[in-house]
Amino acid sequence: MRRRTPEELGIAAVVVIVALVLSAISPTFRTLENAQILLLNGAVIAFLALGQTFVLLTGGIDLSTGSNVALTGMIAALTMSVGAPWWLAALAAIAVGILVGTVNGSLVHFLKLPPFIVTFATFGVAASIPLILTGASSVSVKDPFFAIIGRGSIFGIPMPVLLVAVAAIVFTIVLRLTPTGVHIYAVGGNQETSRLAGIPIGRTIVLVYAISGMCAAFGGLIVTSRLMVGYPSAGSGNELFYSIAAAVVGGVSLFGGIGSIPGALLGAVLIATVSNGMNVVGVQSYWQPLVIGVIILGGIIIDTYRRRVPLGELLSRLVKRRQAAPADQA
Amino acid sequence: MRRRTPEELGIAAVVVIVALVLSAISPTFRTLENAQILLLNGAVIAFLALGQTFVLLTGGIDLSTGSNVALTGMIAALTMSVGAPWWLAALAAIAVGILVGTVNGSLVHFLKLPPFIVTFATFGVAASIPLILTGASSVSVKDPFFAIIGRGSIFGIPMPVLLVAVAAIVFTIVLRLTPTGVHIYAVGGNQETSRLAGIPIGRTIVLVYAISGMCAAFGGLIVTSRLMVGYPSAGSGNELFYSIAAAVVGGVSLFGGIGSIPGALLGAVLIATVSNGMNVVGVQSYWQPLVIGVIILGGIIIDTYRRRVPLGELLSRLVKRRQAAPADQA
Amino acid sequence: GAVDTGTGTDTGTADGGIPRPAACDSDTPYIAVALPNLTNPYYVAMKEGFETAGADNGFEVEVQIANDDDAAQLSQVQAMLQKKPCALALNGVKSEPAAAIVKAANDAGVPVFTVNVTVDPDALEAQGASIVQYLGADNYAGGAQMAEQVLADLGADADLKIGFVTEPDEVPTRVRDQGFEETVASDANATVVAKVDGNVKPDDSLAATTELLSGNPDINVIFASTGPATYGALQALAGNTNVSVYGFCASEEPLQGNYKGCVAQEPGRYGQLVIEEIAGWLGGATPEAEVLLPLKLFVTGETPAPGEVG
Amino acid sequence: MERTATVDSAMNSGALEVRDIEKRFSGVPVLRGVSVAVRPGEVVGLVGHNGAGKSTLLRIISGAHRQDAGQLLVGGEEQSFSSPADAHEAGIATVYQELSLLPNLTVAQNAFLGVELRKGGILDRARMRRETRELTESFGLDVDPDRKVRDYPVATRQLLEVAIATRRGARFLLLDEPTTSLEGAQVERFLGTVRELAAQGFGIVLVDHKLEELYAVASRIVALVDGRIRIDAAVSEVSRDDVIQAIAGHAMEHTPARERIAPPASDESAPALRAVGVRTRALRSVSLDARAGRVLGLYGLVGSGRTEFLRTLIGLDPVLDGSIELGGAAFRPRTPAHAAAQGIVYVTEERKTDGIVPLLDAGANVTLPVVGRFTRAGFLQRARLRQEAVERMDQLSVLGDRLGPVVRLSGGNQQKVLLARALAQKPRILLLDEPTKGVDLGVKAQIHRMIVSLAHDEGLTVIVVSSEEDEICEIADDIVIFAHGSTSPDVLDASDVTPNDLRTLAWSAA
Ligand SMILES: Nc1ncnc2c1ncn2[C@@H]1O[C@H](COP(=O)(O)OP(=O)(O)OP(=O)(O)O)[C@@H](O)[C@H]1O
Ligand SMILES: Nc1ncnc2c1ncn2[C@@H]1O[C@H](COP(=O)(O)OP(=O)(O)OP(=O)(O)O)[C@@H](O)[C@H]1O
Ligand SMILES: [Mg+2]
Ligand SMILES: [Mg+2]
């Protein structure tokens, strides 16, 4: 019976609560335009969080994703600067993103290295290449149609938001409805068992890192297209951190085997909402890290509490809480 | 027989190899002064890595440690700015560092929250407080004797290096020779099993975060004392990342239960050596992230390989490697 | 003795004129240059300025990049000081921590020429350190220039709702904000509505600006205190004609539409000027304590040339 | 604490008793009012079908779970344990069903976990090492106190855990299926220890599915069925048949499984699987033939290399020397997936490490290796998958919440899930390592029949490793004895061998 309520409900509730509070504080927060802006600004982190979710599900971590944003964005800009059309540039960026991921996955699997170190190394490599290629300067995008990725919209929904939505749907299908999805959870749940069960572990691991790399490429394309310039420090800010936090807030375990795409997406929306709310409501920039931290913490406390206690029992538990504690937390 | 060679040997060998190569390339690298500078610069990351090791051993992670450097450094500077002597300021900073850690540990243990999120939140809080307290400006250190922490030296050994050495020895003793140490490994090995064995899990978890907070405070004191100014963006660079990487490079598992203080220390020395080497040898700034990444990766490959194959067998294995592959990776 | 308290030696050079290290009299005097990073094109240009001018003036110039880490910059400088340079040209990562670097150079008897980022005078005094010269843009004037331009364009008593896209954690940007704010205050109808943090990055500035406007739809003027912030703010505005953008110039971005004015620094030239100041000093001239360079103003229809950046 | 000191304190204190214990998990009742007592010096044998609630009861007494209702008394005094540490305090030591030593710690560290000896604030490692050695030696274990527990085989770990439990200053010992990994001689030795401990005044609760073992040591038999006590009587007052009747719900036919259907004559054609002089890191020389339609039993002492051999067949350890043939053709095991492609399927003896994926549900665990077979256009056919899982689980009578994480199933039911997984893979050659570990006696007989039938009726080649001589004799057609990583030269015909012969043979080989 507890199982029936989806795991993501708690974090969804938190998102709603935070949005309601912000709407109450600021009338501008609750406008449709602001909702668009919120989602648009959250799109890159959401993409990274989606990719990261795959990696985390197998018990890995992908630190390279932030600088992969810069690398792929730069690749797109450079490709266009030599005259290629926008779609070719986009493909090139995605190919490079997947390549970085494939390298990560191969090193992790075939050399049995800790993912933290492997992706730390590729993080450095991916950060250096754009700097080396361009001498730290930016590269303007030449093909105006490239703007469609970051600035276009369909029925008023910004293209990056659509891309995230499509990716989330596809990824959810992959995880829930294909053998690969089962394999990903199994590898993260118990790699030894998975090996004995004949699951192609190598393929699974390389795949998740490749997906993460692809997501980073989409992040790079969005950033570059929104600014219409490729620059080497893109994605070097809080993106990586926030994207991992988004996944974890959404219930993805750093130890593998637990979590879902909708959860990670909701985590990203929560972070986007809070970040947007800060600026819209006008919280002083010094206070922002503190407020973000406290809200996320509060959210996860609510969520954790809900997970442990089925919604129905919540009230009665609150009364006689003391007695229940030790054993069921096992 | 394999047991007899300490786990840390591989990474020590890597440090030696890297140092030898750098010495061969650059005559300045192999000077005594440069060794001092190298260790001095590595001191903050080493401290953070030592603290992080405790947390990682229990299967947690401490992201707050970077901004805790800023917070504690600022506390020291502010304490002196109201007239307190340097040692009182140092104690105040250490107390605040421990406090932050204790809050982390308590939230992790008592509310059963993911360490990533808890310390992500305290990271924000610890980053905001110095900004709020001082309006983002720096606070000059008033007591000249405070310089002893960061600039002093005994027998030519810089004080921060001494502090790291003392801390490493004390921590090694704690981990290897006290019940608390055994409990830390146990909790990281399997928390449920440890609970069944009657280990005081709560105390252990709070303790490791407190130690990490204390190490951050030492980091904060060193930074502040070296620059003789408390400033709110201290520790906000690569410190956090590098300190975790140092621990992992040194053989500490992100999943808990495995690793040692000497290992983490060697990891920190490796990172310090590589960072210093880059600058001394004159690797172009654009190339540095790439070179650092590749060297660390190379180091960990050597180390992993050594761990898997006892040194003696190494040579014969190298010859007929193909045949041996599948099973040893288990 | 065995124990060095690290409280420093009083070299006495702080008050007794500029020291002249032996290296200054070699054939190619060695000049140490410390810059914060190379990910901002600003410093790329400055580095080139240093290197070209160094070659022209017969110096051996070594440029070290701190990757925005103050402590790393300190140790980089310490490393270069061991090679006994003739002078140190310092663009600190942050104003206050840089004082420790100056102090280290003072102790080594090496004169310090600072550029672009001022070293906090209080911190210098607290540490008993001194610099020879500060050379850089007049940030306050830059902000003020933009405010004047706003008032000239929109009217001295225009109803202004101003939003800032800035970097509140850094001194130069705060000084620019201050210059703008204090100058625009002459218009009684001007109000500063909100300030957001653009992190000196175009993407963060883009996001922050969209949110700034979303929260404050009545804003009609944006002041962006850095080049990347200006660029990001412009991208955030695409199509929105109600808002005018003023700020420090985005690199090579033509001023058109609602991008109405910007001021530019010339980091390459700053590097060159520092070298020339050092050369002049070696030739016997007395360097001025402060060289404040006016910023170059650009208005609608103009485009900053390469190297002219905010 | 010294054992003699424990005896004294145990003598003058009363019984450990639970009254009307109730426990639910997610609303589902598991214990429905259980009352039972154990007095010092007494061995209570606790039996019950898989999922009856035995482990849950033990976990409540040991403070690992909290009961929903009911009381817990020690020496007539009501206790309230809020953690296992409290139970330790009250003199209760527990060996849990799932091995719970910490593999990343050394033997000595595990032995003194939570009760470390100190000298001047730091660990007295020399003394702990010494006492650990004394302790393990008294249990006949040859282990190095300074080696990590992960280096030792399951059986050793199991005995080690019991040994450690006795030295925690305990008066009561709760042992949850402590013999599942032990081979015959070890079991006997272990039972001797239990008797000795009882004589010293320990009150012992022993959970075990093997009635012979219980009848050998218990003074009282308690049968737990569906969360209620069905039998609680002195051994002399209750017959084995009564117990079986209570647990399995029906009297068991005593016809040995293999006599039900005659095996095909062992023909002289090429064996389905042949090993010739196989040498690996852990095996010296293994040669044997396994024939289609027959069950080959591998017997040997712990550490003799049986598990190693099975794992070598699926490519987990490289073959250094010798050869393996599959249906006459040379076969070089590469990976489990590769072996599975040849129809070779392995069921592990270590559920926790490489058996289950703990947080996936039971059905997903069953169908894990075959998900790829249930797809259409690349997508899972979830209904068919579920159906397959349910069928397999029904076949093996998996009881409990099949939709929750498999780790929440009782131990025996997890074991059934592993077997169900093997069946789902439709193997040609089935390698079973301790297949009925922890399975209750009703289902065990059923599994035995199933194994025999898979070979005899469906023509599979089955290789079974078991430390239970009875089991081997019951289901195997041929038997090969392992010792020190080598096989005995001759194949025994199972119909000629008694469990006792097996033991003698294994000992003489070793
Ligand atoms: N932590 C838990 N959460 C939910 N259900 C549980 C949990 N632990 C046990 N159960 C359920 O309680 C029931 C009794 O389990 P228990 O482990 O006590 O059985 P058992 O008698 O020891 O069986 P076995 O002989 O297989 O070991 C089972 O249905 C099991 O699925
Ligand atoms: N005495 C021992 N000390 C340390 N490791 C051992 C010992 N005996 C066996 N091992 C290791 O334990 C593992 C399992 O042992 P093995 O497969 O030889 O046992 P087995 O005959 O299957 O016995 P069982 O399955 O009954 O435990 C192997 O990896 C083996 O190398
Ligand atoms: Mg059980
Ligand atoms: Mg075995």
Side-chain angles (χ1 to χ4, degrees):
Chain A
M1 128 196 125
R2 198 195 286 194
R3 210 163 0 95
R4 295 285 128 139
T5 47
E7 288 288 310
E8 295 83 7
L9 205 70
I11 190 71
V14 171
V15 171
V16 171
I17 294 171
V18 170
L20 286 179
V21 170
L22 287 169
S23 299
I25 298 176
S26 155
T28 40
F29 179 85
R30 55 176 180 262
T31 60
L32 191 63
E33 291 76 32
N34 189 56
Q36 283 180 356
I37 287 173
L38 182 163
L39 294 175
L40 184 56
N41 287 342
V44 173
I45 285 175
F47 252 120
L48 299 187
L50 293 183
Q52 195 72 251
T53 299
F54 278 87
V55 176
L56 294 177
L57 280 177
T58 63
I61 192 164
D62 187 355
L63 304 179
S64 71
T65 184
S67 64
N68 204 356
V69 165
L71 174 63
T72 51
M74 200 55 125
I75 292 291
L78 285 172
T79 313
M80 284 180 280
S81 76
V82 298
W86 71 271
W87 54 267
L88 194 62
L91 288 181
I94 292 170
V96 168
I98 291 177
L99 176 71
V100 171
T102 307
V103 170
N104 281 332
S106 305
L107 288 170
V108 167
H109 177 70
F110 295 106
L111 298 187
K112 304 283 171 233
L113 304 179
F116 191 95
I117 297 296
V118 168
T119 58
F120 177 80
T122 46
F123 156 86
V125 174
S128 280
I129 293 176
L131 289 170
I132 297 168
L133 286 180
T134 67
S137 53
S138 318
V139 176
S140 289
V141 169
K142 289 288 180 293
D143 185 341
F145 284 104
F146 186 70
I148 197 170
I149 298 173
R151 302 179 177 183
S153 64
I154 294 179
F155 297 119
I157 304 171
M159 188 62 86
V161 178
L162 274 179
L163 288 173
V164 169
V166 170
I169 291 169
V170 171
F171 290 162
T172 306
I173 291 173
V174 168
L175 278 182
R176 298 182 54 115
L177 300 180
T178 70
T180 307
V182 177
H183 294 169
I184 289 170
Y185 280 97
V187 167
N190 187 339
Q191 185 158 337
E192 268 310 294
T193 299
S194 306
R195 200 154 74 97
L196 291 196
I199 288 174
I201 297 186
R203 220 172 60 196
T204 308
I205 289 181
V206 173
L207 178 75
V208 296
Y209 285 92
I211 290 178
S212 181
M214 187 181 74
C215 287
F218 273 99
L221 289 172
I222 292 172
V223 173
T224 308
S225 167
R226 286 191 71 191
L227 294 166
M228 286 305 267
V229 65
Y231 68 104
S233 64
S236 67
N238 287 326
E239 285 85 348
L240 170 63
F241 239 28
Y242 276 23
S243 66
I244 300 177
V248 177
V249 165
V252 181
S253 162
L254 289 177
F255 294 93
I258 302 173
S260 74
I261 289 291
L265 195 62
L266 283 165
V269 171
L270 178 61
I271 288 185
T273 307
V274 177
S275 309
N276 173 282
M278 296 294 94
N279 279 331
V280 171
V281 172
V283 174
Q284 241 210 318
S285 94
Y286 302 154
W287 284 86
Q288 291 197 8
L290 189 150
V291 176
I292 293 183
V294 170
I295 293 182
I296 303 254
L297 189 64
I300 204 103
I301 290 175
I302 295 178
D303 183 36
T304 309
Y305 200 69
R306 190 209 64 80
R307 263 165 220 253
R308 229 172 285 147
V309 187
L311 284 174
E313 283 185 37
L314 202 69
L315 220 125
S316 60
R317 274 286 176 100
L318 280 174
V319 184
K320 45 173 186 172
R321 190 176 162 192
R322 192 66 28 97
Q323 302 160 8
D328 290 26
Q329 295 165 357
Chain B
M1 124 195 130
R2 200 194 285 193
R3 199 165 15 93
R4 296 287 129 142
T5 46
E7 287 290 309
E8 294 82 7
L9 204 71
I11 190 71
V14 171
V15 171
V16 171
I17 294 170
V18 170
L20 285 179
V21 170
L22 288 169
S23 300
I25 299 176
S26 155
T28 31
F29 180 84
R30 56 175 180 264
T31 59
L32 190 64
E33 290 77 30
N34 188 55
Q36 282 179 356
I37 287 182
L38 182 162
L39 293 174
L40 185 56
N41 284 338
V44 173
I45 286 175
F47 251 120
L48 299 187
L50 294 183
Q52 196 72 250
T53 299
F54 278 85
V55 176
L56 295 177
L57 280 177
T58 64
I61 192 165
D62 188 355
L63 305 180
S64 70
T65 184
S67 64
N68 205 356
V69 165
L71 175 63
T72 50
M74 199 56 126
I75 293 289
L78 285 172
T79 312
M80 284 181 280
S81 76
V82 297
W86 70 273
W87 53 268
L88 193 64
L91 288 181
I94 292 171
V96 168
I98 291 177
L99 177 72
V100 171
T102 308
V103 170
N104 281 333
S106 305
L107 287 169
V108 167
H109 177 70
F110 295 106
L111 298 187
K112 306 276 172 241
L113 304 178
F116 191 94
I117 297 297
V118 168
T119 57
F120 178 79
T122 45
F123 156 84
V125 174
S128 280
I129 293 176
L131 289 170
I132 296 168
L133 285 180
T134 67
S137 53
S138 315
V139 176
S140 288
V141 170
K142 289 288 180 293
D143 185 342
F145 283 104
F146 187 70
I148 197 168
I149 299 174
R151 300 180 179 180
S153 65
I154 294 179
F155 294 117
I157 304 170
M159 187 64 85
V161 177
L162 274 179
L163 288 173
V164 169
V166 170
I169 291 170
V170 172
F171 290 162
T172 306
I173 290 173
V174 167
L175 278 181
R176 298 183 55 115
L177 299 181
T178 70
T180 308
V182 179
H183 296 173
I184 289 171
Y185 281 97
V187 168
N190 187 333
Q191 186 161 333
E192 179 56 11
T193 304
S194 305
R195 192 177 74 94
L196 295 180
I199 285 176
I201 297 184
R203 219 172 60 195
T204 308
I205 290 183
V206 173
L207 179 75
V208 296
Y209 285 91
I211 289 178
S212 180
M214 186 180 75
C215 288
F218 273 100
L221 289 173
I222 292 172
V223 172
T224 307
S225 167
R226 282 190 72 190
L227 298 167
M228 284 306 266
V229 63
Y231 65 105
S233 63
S236 67
N238 287 326
E239 284 87 346
L240 170 63
F241 237 29
Y242 277 22
S243 66
I244 300 178
V248 177
V249 165
V252 181
S253 163
L254 288 177
F255 294 94
I258 300 172
S260 73
I261 289 291
L265 195 63
L266 283 166
V269 171
L270 177 62
I271 290 186
T273 307
V274 176
S275 307
N276 173 281
M278 297 294 92
N279 285 325
V280 172
V281 172
V283 174
Q284 242 209 318
S285 146
Y286 301 154
W287 284 86
Q288 289 198 7
L290 189 150
V291 176
I292 292 183
V294 170
I295 293 182
I296 303 263
L297 190 64
I300 203 105
I301 290 175
I302 295 178
D303 183 36
T304 310
Y305 200 69
R306 189 210 62 84
R307 264 166 220 254
R308 231 171 286 148
V309 188
L311 284 173
E313 283 184 37
L314 203 70
L315 221 125
S316 60
R317 275 284 176 100
L318 279 174
V319 184
K320 45 176 183 170
R321 190 176 161 191
R322 192 65 28 96
Q323 302 161 4
D328 288 22
Q329 294 164 0
Chain C
V3 181
D4 172 3
T5 59
T7 41
T9 43
D10 212 353
T11 47
T13 49
D15 14 59
I18 306 169
R20 189 184 170 102
C24 294
D25 301 315
S26 74
D27 292 344
T28 53
Y30 167 49
I31 309 288
V33 180
L35 300 184
N37 67 57
L38 280 187
T39 50
N40 187 345
Y42 182 96
Y43 295 115
V44 179
M46 187 183 281
K47 177 171 184 267
E48 274 170 21
F50 271 113
E51 283 168 350
T52 341
D56 293 349
N57 287 280
F59 293 143
E60 184 205 337
V61 171
E62 179 180 3
V63 183
Q64 291 267 13
I65 309 301
N67 295 323
D68 292 326
D69 182 336
D70 306 88
Q73 189 167 52
L74 171 61
S75 48
Q76 284 178 343
V77 169
Q78 283 172 337
M80 288 193 289
L81 288 175
Q82 280 177 31
K83 297 191 240 168
K84 315 228 177 303
C86 166
L88 168 68
L90 172 68
N91 185 332
V93 175
K94 292 245 155 55
S95 295
E96 292 89 346
I101 298 172
V102 175
K103 172 70 175 160
N106 287 167
D107 288 349
V110 174
V112 184
F113 290 74
T114 60
V115 57
N116 183 42
V117 169
T118 52
V119 180
D120 186 65
D122 294 340
L124 277 180
E125 194 190 342
Q127 303 205 17
S130 66
I131 58 170
V132 174
Q133 180 182 70
Y134 167 72
L135 181 148
D138 190 340
N139 285 312
Y140 185 92
Q145 260 174 300
M146 274 299 95
E148 283 157 11
Q149 191 64 31
V150 169
L151 297 177
D153 288 354
L154 304 177
D157 54 359
D159 189 13
L160 302 177
K161 298 273 181 282
I162 305 162
F164 280 55
V165 184
T166 180
E167 169 53 271
D169 306 348
E170 289 187 18
V171 176
T173 45
R174 287 213 305 270
V175 171
R176 292 170 191 180
D177 294 351
Q178 195 191 353
F180 185 89
E181 217 170 333
E182 288 177 3
T183 311
V184 91
S186 70
D187 176 355
N189 295 322
T191 44
V192 175
V193 180
K195 294 183 179 178
V196 293
D197 187 353
N199 279 330
V200 203
K201 291 179 65 197
D203 52 348
D204 286 359
S205 300
L206 165 58
T209 309
T210 54
E211 288 163 359
L212 172 72
L213 291 171
S214 180
N216 308 279
D218 54 342
I219 281 177
N220 54 12
V221 171
I222 283 179
F223 174 68
S225 65
T226 62
T230 303
Y231 189 81
L234 285 173
Q235 306 311 312
L237 284 180
N240 182 344
T241 50
N242 305 329
V243 185
S244 306
V245 176
Y246 294 84
F248 279 64
C249 295
S251 100
E252 298 174 52
E253 187 70 12
L255 283 89
Q256 57 190 21
N258 45 9
Y259 184 19
K260 301 229 174 81
C262 74
V263 283
Q265 311 182 57
E266 292 156 283
R269 212 177 122 238
Y270 301 168
Q272 179 197 338
L273 286 176
V274 170
I275 292 291
E276 283 166 8
E277 289 285 336
I278 294 173
W281 163 63
L282 291 181
T286 308
E288 282 183 47
E290 192 169 60
V291 181
L292 288 183
L293 301 161
L295 288 138
K296 203 165 166 186
L297 178 70
F298 293 86
V299 293
T300 302
E302 299 173 329
T303 303
E308 294 174 334
V309 293
Chain D
M1 190 161 300
E2 301 298 319
R3 238 189 248 166
T4 44
T6 334
V7 179
D8 296 338
S9 56
M11 297 276 231
N12 38 28
S13 66
L16 166 66
E17 193 181 354
V18 294
R19 287 191 195 146
D20 303 319
I21 295 283
E22 289 176 27
K23 177 72 182 173
R24 297 159 172 268
F25 284 114
S26 319
V28 181
V30 170
L31 297 177
R32 309 159 186 252
V34 171
S35 303
V36 74
V38 52
R39 275 171 290 278
E42 182 184 43
V43 179
V44 171
L46 183 58
V47 280
H49 61 87
N50 294 133
K54 304 178 294 294
S55 300
T56 305
L57 180 61
L58 261 50
R59 290 173 70 88
I60 286 172
I61 301 174
S62 74
H65 279 328
R66 173 72 66 104
Q67 70 269 32
D68 297 336
Q71 295 160 292
L72 212 155
L73 303 95
V74 176
E77 249 174 74
E78 181 156 2
Q79 305 278 331
S80 167
F81 299 153
S82 60
S83 77
D86 293 348
H88 295 168
E89 199 85 342
I92 299 169
T94 312
V95 174
Y96 296 93
Q97 183 169 12
E98 298 305 335
L99 294 185
S100 44
L101 295 178
L102 287 158
N104 61 326
L105 299 188
T106 65
V107 172
Q109 283 174 328
N110 269 288
F112 286 85
L113 195 59
V115 290
E116 292 82 4
L117 304 178
R118 321 160 194 230
K119 195 161 74 183
I122 65 164
L123 292 173
D124 188 349
R125 297 211 285 185
R127 193 164 143 224
M128 287 194 284
R129 189 178 300 131
R130 197 174 61 238
E131 290 194 12
T132 304
R133 196 184 304 275
E134 284 166 11
L135 176 73
T136 51
E137 276 168 6
S138 77
F139 274 76
L141 285 168
D142 174 25
V143 294
D144 177 351
D146 286 332
R147 265 182 85 168
K148 297 246 161 84
V149 160
R150 76 156 72 86
D151 293 340
Y152 290 99
V154 202
T156 309
R157 277 186 261 165
Q158 207 168 46
L159 283 173
L160 197 54
E161 236 189 299
V162 176
I164 289 170
T166 60
R167 67 147 304 286
R168 291 193 168 260
R171 290 176 290 150
F172 296 100
L173 274 180
L174 312 179
L175 306 174
D176 199 350
E177 305 195 28
T179 63
T180 46
S181 297
L182 307 187
E183 97 309 272
Q186 281 175 317
V187 170
E188 265 173 26
R189 190 163 181 167
F190 169 78
L191 295 178
T193 310
V194 169
R195 264 185 233 108
E196 193 187 313
L197 290 170
Q200 286 173 14
F202 278 91
I204 297 171
V205 179
L206 174 64
V207 176
D208 200 328
H209 291 295
K210 285 166 255 172
L211 290 185
E212 326 76 75
E213 293 177 14
L214 285 184
Y215 272 84
V217 290
S219 39
R220 225 144 41 85
I221 299 282
V222 175
L224 190 61
V225 177
D226 286 330
R228 291 202 178 85
I229 300 289
R230 187 66 69 80
I231 296 173
D232 185 349
V235 263
S236 50
E237 289 165 20
V238 54
S239 74
R240 295 179 193 210
D241 282 339
D242 294 342
V243 176
I244 293 168
Q245 177 84 38
I247 293 167
H250 54 82
M252 271 201 324
E253 310 100 298
H254 276 100
T255 7
R258 73 189 151 90
E259 280 180 15
R260 297 173 61 80
I261 309 141
S266 70
D267 57 44
E268 295 310 312
S269 67
L273 185 143
R274 157 170 285 175
V276 184
V278 169
R279 186 169 71 82
T280 70
R281 277 192 315 173
L283 299 176
R284 287 199 293 185
S285 169
V286 171
S287 305
L288 53 77
D289 288 352
R291 292 176 190 280
R294 293 177 74 86
V295 179
L296 173 65
L298 306 186
Y299 185 75
L301 305 183
V302 162
S304 57
R306 300 163 300 170
T307 297
E308 281 294 335
F309 176 64
L310 297 192
R311 294 173 77 91
T312 302
L313 290 180
I314 56 164
L316 290 176
D317 217 3
V319 178
L320 300 178
D321 210 351
S323 66
I324 299 173
E325 282 170 28
L326 215 52
F331 170 63
R332 181 167 197 89
R334 290 211 300 265
T335 61
H338 173 241
Q342 316 293 313
I344 305 178
V345 165
Y346 167 67
V347 175
T348 180
E349 70 172 327
E350 286 196 67
R351 288 199 282 276
K352 208 166 155 190
T353 29
D354 55 17
I356 56 170
V357 182
L359 295 177
L360 290 183
D361 65 46
N365 268 285
V366 169
T367 52
L368 194 56
V370 296
V371 278
R373 293 185 200 160
F374 294 84
T375 56
R376 184 184 290 146
F379 293 107
L380 291 175
Q381 296 172 296
R382 307 229 294 174
R384 274 187 62 210
L385 257 180
R386 200 171 314 125
Q387 192 192 341
E388 168 76 10
V390 167
E391 268 174 31
R392 296 299 176 195
M393 288 193 284
D394 286 346
Q395 209 175 341
L396 285 148
S397 353
V398 173
L399 300 179
D401 179 6
R402 293 174 176 183
L403 299 174
V406 72
V407 69
R408 300 229 183 104
L409 288 183
S410 77
N413 282 307
Q414 291 177 24
Q415 183 67 27
K416 296 180 205 163
V417 165
L418 294 192
L419 290 168
R421 178 193 294 164
L423 295 187
Q425 287 175 270
K426 303 207 168 61
R428 286 196 304 124
I429 297 179
L430 185 55
L431 312 178
L432 301 171
D433 202 350
E434 310 285 3
T436 59
K437 189 175 179 178
V439 170
D440 68 44
L441 30 90
V443 178
K444 188 169 183 175
Q446 187 190 328
I447 290 175
H448 285 169
R449 283 194 295 275
M450 191 182 300
I451 292 172
V452 170
S453 155
L454 283 173
H456 296 182
D457 299 342
E458 300 182 27
L460 264 64
T461 309
V462 182
I463 304 183
V464 180
V465 167
S466 177
S467 297
E468 278 181 61
E469 299 81 5
D470 295 317
E471 183 165 76
I472 294 264
C473 292
E474 173 119 348
I475 59 179
D477 300 310
D478 311 305
I479 298 176
V480 167
I481 306 247
F482 272 63
H484 300 310
S486 303
T487 43
S488 57
D490 19 73
V491 177
L492 308 175
D493 184 338
S495 46
D496 301 342
V497 195
T498 66
N500 263 333
D501 299 343
L502 271 188
R503 236 172 269 180
T504 326
L505 282 166
W507 274 107
S508 59

Coordinates of all heavy atoms in Angstrom, one line a residue, chain D residues 306-307 349 433-434 465, ligand 4:
Chain D
R306 N 34.9 -26.8 -4.2 CA 33.7 -27.0 -5.0 C 33.1 -25.8 -5.6 O 32.8 -25.7 -6.8 CB 32.6 -27.7 -4.1 CG 33.1 -29.0 -3.5 CD 32.3 -29.4 -2.4 NE 32.3 -28.4 -1.3 CZ 31.5 -28.4 -0.3 NH1 30.6 -29.3 -0.1 NH2 31.6 -27.4 0.6
T307 N 33.0 -24.7 -4.7 CA 32.4 -23.5 -5.2 C 33.3 -22.9 -6.3 O 32.9 -22.4 -7.4 CB 32.3 -22.5 -4.1 OG1 31.4 -23.0 -3.1 CG2 31.9 -21.1 -4.5
E349 N 26.1 -19.5 -3.8 CA 25.8 -19.9 -2.4 C 25.8 -18.6 -1.5 O 25.4 -18.7 -0.4 CB 26.9 -20.8 -1.9 CG 28.2 -20.2 -1.7 CD 29.3 -21.1 -1.0 OE1 28.9 -21.9 -0.1 OE2 30.4 -21.0 -1.3
D433 N 24.9 -24.3 -6.1 CA 25.8 -24.3 -5.0 C 24.9 -24.1 -3.7 O 24.3 -23.1 -3.5 CB 26.7 -23.1 -5.1 CG 28.0 -23.3 -4.3 OD1 28.0 -24.2 -3.5 OD2 28.9 -22.5 -4.5
E434 N 24.8 -25.1 -2.9 CA 24.0 -25.1 -1.7 C 22.6 -24.7 -2.1 O 22.1 -23.6 -1.6 CB 24.6 -24.2 -0.6 CG 26.1 -24.4 -0.4 CD 26.4 -25.7 0.5 OE1 25.4 -26.4 0.8 OE2 27.6 -25.9 0.7
V465 N 26.4 -28.8 -5.6 CA 27.3 -28.7 -4.5 C 26.5 -28.7 -3.2 O 25.6 -27.8 -3.1 CB 28.3 -27.5 -4.5 CG1 29.0 -27.3 -3.2 CG2 29.2 -27.7 -5.7
Ligands
MG4 MG 31.1 -23.3 -1.6

